[in-house]
């Protein structure tokens, strides 16, 4: 396993840097949007722009990878991320932000697809869950670090937007300058959802549900923290608590799923998620540490389920199918992220901030029940 880790070290450093920028962007944009007095529904529509770009990338990016290779496409996508956040600073208008968020969704989805197909070439069925957990931990640790940058600046100015762009640009260097062997060129750039369903029905359904859950929380979690009266520092801590729960749970859940039927682990995660979300909905800012604790437990199941879906599908895939499988999972995940912010936003408009947690609980119930 150590040899496998060494072979992906530079890729994980690039992933970490990319996710620091992404964590900063994910919290900065909702806070700035609320400062501009945009409604929750408007913010949900902006988030939908992100998810549309995310889904489109799952179809288009494999074509680019087939043509020019993993490393060049990864560098181009990171550059697009940089452009998208800087444009948000230049043009503060919600209709324009829909397009800019679509650009960032396209870039981040393509980067995920490249990273995950690269990882699948370096792992075996015996260590797939564990190494994907390392990847997810890098994503979560980076996101936590990025979110804590928001209280250090003023979201109403361009400073944090520029810092975010710089961080994205730095993410190119480790992979671009690495001496590690690049992935083999892919033979086909087609996505095949039917093949994914045949390989793993639970990964097919689970990817869509995981997208609903992650899309709702990632795009509206910052709105939730502000609408319940938290400061930016307190909000960053709650978002970090959710991510920390996911980071700490990734490795144990991944290792357990390598040893027993992954579907059983999925079902247990779904059940735990229902109770964690309902518990969090009952806590308010008068009990701030209890809110952090319940957020932590939501994160322990909210974030690891994506890796479980991917590992289960790739257990049953042939090596030449890894990009096809990854693309299928990302498309379904992306479709889920389109529905998630709209559903979560509608629930918040109807039931108040706690509606987001009710939406998440319903998603976990569907995920665990299907598994």
């Amino acid at each position: 396993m150590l040899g496998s880790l060494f072979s992906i070290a530079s890729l994980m450093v690039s992933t970490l840097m990319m996710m620091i920028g992404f964590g900063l962007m994910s919290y900065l944009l909702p806070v700035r949007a609320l400062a501009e007095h945009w409604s929750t529904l408007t913010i949900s529509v902006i988030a939908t722009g992100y998810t549309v770009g995310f889904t489109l990338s799952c179809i288009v990016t494999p074509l680019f990878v087939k043509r020019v290779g993993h490393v060049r496409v990864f560098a181009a996508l990171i550059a697009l991320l940089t452009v998208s956040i800087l444009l948000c600073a230049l043009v503060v208008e919600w209709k324009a932000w829909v397009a800019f968020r679509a650009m960032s969704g396209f870039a981040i989805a393509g980067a995920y697809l490249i990273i995950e197909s690269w990882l699948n070439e370096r792992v075996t069925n015996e260590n797939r869950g564990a190494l994907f957990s390392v990847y997810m931990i890098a994503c979560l640790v980076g996101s936590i670090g990025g979110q804590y940058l928001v209280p250090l600046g003023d979201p109403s100015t361009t400073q944090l937007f520029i810092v975010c762009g710089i961080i994205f640009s730095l993410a190119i260097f480790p992979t671009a300058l690495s001496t590690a062997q690049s992935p083999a060129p892919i033979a086909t750039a087609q996505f095949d959802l039917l093949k994914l369903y045949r390989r793993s029905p639970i990964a097919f359904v689970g990817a869509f549900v995981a997208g609903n859950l992650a899309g709702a929380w990632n795009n509206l979690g910052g709105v939730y923290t502000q609408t319940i009266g938290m400061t930016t520092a307190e909000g960053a801590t709650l978002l970090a608590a959710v991510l920390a729960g996911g980071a700490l749970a990734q490795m144990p859940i991944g290792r357990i799923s390598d040893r027993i039927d992954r579907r059983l682990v999925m079902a247990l995660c779904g059940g735990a998620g229902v109770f964690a979300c309902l518990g969090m909905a009952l806590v308010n800012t008068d009990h701030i540490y209890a809110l952090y604790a319940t957020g932590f437990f939501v994160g322990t199941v909210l974030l690891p389920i994506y890796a479980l879906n991917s590992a289960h599908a790739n257990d049953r895939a042939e090596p030449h199918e890894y990009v096809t499988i990854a693309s299928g999972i990302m498309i379904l995940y992306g479709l889920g992220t389109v529905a998630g912010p709209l559903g979560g936003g509608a629930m918040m408009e109807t039931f108040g901030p706690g509606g987001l947690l009710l939406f998440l609980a319903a998603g976990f119930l569907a995920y665990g029940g299907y598994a």
Side-chain angles (χ1 to χ4, degrees):
M1 180 173 171
L2 288 177
S4 297
L5 280 173
F6 182 77
S7 70
I8 62 171
S10 61
L11 182 62
M12 289 300 96
V13 174
S14 283
T15 300
L16 178 67
M17 294 298 297
M18 179 184 76
M19 294 309 296
I20 291 173
F22 184 71
L24 171 55
M25 179 172 67
S26 297
Y27 190 26
L28 172 62
L29 294 182
V31 172
R32 178 61 180 268
L34 287 172
E36 297 293 327
H37 305 293
W38 297 342
S39 69
T40 301
L41 183 59
T42 297
I43 297 171
S44 298
V45 172
I46 294 171
T48 302
Y50 168 87
T51 55
V52 169
F54 190 104
T55 306
L56 179 63
S57 181
C58 299
I59 301 171
V60 175
T61 297
L63 300 174
F64 293 144
V65 174
K66 181 181 180 182
R67 184 173 181 179
V68 300
H70 292 71
V71 176
R72 288 181 178 177
V73 177
F74 183 75
L77 292 171
I78 295 297
L80 186 61
L81 268 176
T82 304
V83 171
S84 70
I85 190 63
L86 295 179
L87 284 174
C88 286
L90 286 173
V91 184
V92 185
E93 208 284 323
W94 75 265
K95 293 178 183 178
W97 275 29
V98 174
F100 302 155
R101 290 295 281 154
M103 292 170 59
S104 65
F106 186 95
I108 200 70
Y112 285 152
L113 193 152
I114 289 171
I115 293 166
E116 290 171 24
S117 63
W118 199 328
L119 283 175
N120 276 306
E121 190 176 289
R122 298 288 190 268
V123 302
T124 65
N125 285 354
E126 288 71 31
N127 64 16
R128 190 183 309 278
L131 288 180
F132 258 79
S133 294
V134 172
Y135 159 58
M136 294 303 294
I137 289 171
C139 290
L140 299 176
V141 169
S143 294
I144 291 172
Q147 287 168 355
Y148 269 111
L149 293 176
V150 174
L152 301 180
D154 184 357
S156 64
T157 69
T158 61
Q159 181 185 37
L160 288 173
F161 291 84
I162 294 171
V163 169
C164 188
I166 292 171
I167 294 171
F168 279 142
S169 297
L170 292 175
I172 298 174
F173 285 83
T175 298
L177 300 178
S178 173
T179 59
Q181 182 179 0
S182 298
I186 61 176
T188 177
Q190 296 179 342
F191 68 93
D192 190 338
L193 295 181
L194 182 59
K195 177 179 287 185
L196 172 60
Y197 183 80
R198 288 171 176 167
R199 289 286 185 265
S200 174
I202 181 56
F204 184 97
V205 174
F208 179 77
V209 176
N212 264 270
L213 296 171
W217 178 255
N218 290 342
N219 289 287
L220 298 175
V223 178
Y224 171 80
T225 65
Q226 298 298 296
T227 52
I228 64 174
M230 303 181 82
T231 66
T232 55
E234 290 171 340
T237 300
L238 178 59
L239 296 177
V242 174
L243 292 173
L248 292 177
Q250 282 290 348
M251 184 63 75
I253 288 176
R255 295 297 288 175
I256 291 170
S257 74
D258 285 339
R259 288 168 168 76
I260 65 175
D261 192 330
R262 295 195 204 274
R263 292 170 298 179
L264 176 59
V265 181
M266 293 173 178
L268 292 173
C269 285
V274 173
F275 287 105
C277 288
L278 293 178
M280 186 175 175
L282 297 174
V283 182
N284 57 41
T285 52
D286 293 334
H287 303 88
I288 193 73
Y289 292 106
L291 191 59
Y292 295 155
T294 53
F296 176 89
F297 284 112
V298 169
T300 61
V301 285
L302 175 66
L303 302 170
I305 59 175
Y306 177 83
L308 289 174
N309 296 329
S310 183
H312 192 272
N314 282 290
D315 284 345
R316 290 154 176 75
E318 300 296 330
H320 68 276
E321 297 175 330
Y322 288 149
V323 171
T324 300
I325 293 295
S327 181
I329 290 175
M330 294 289 286
I331 288 170
L332 290 166
Y333 183 86
L335 291 173
T337 60
V338 173
L342 293 176
M347 290 287 284
M348 293 178 77
E349 288 283 343
T350 303
F351 299 104
L356 176 61
L357 297 170
L358 297 178
F359 179 81
L360 295 179
F364 276 119
L365 181 62
Y367 183 79
Y370 188 78

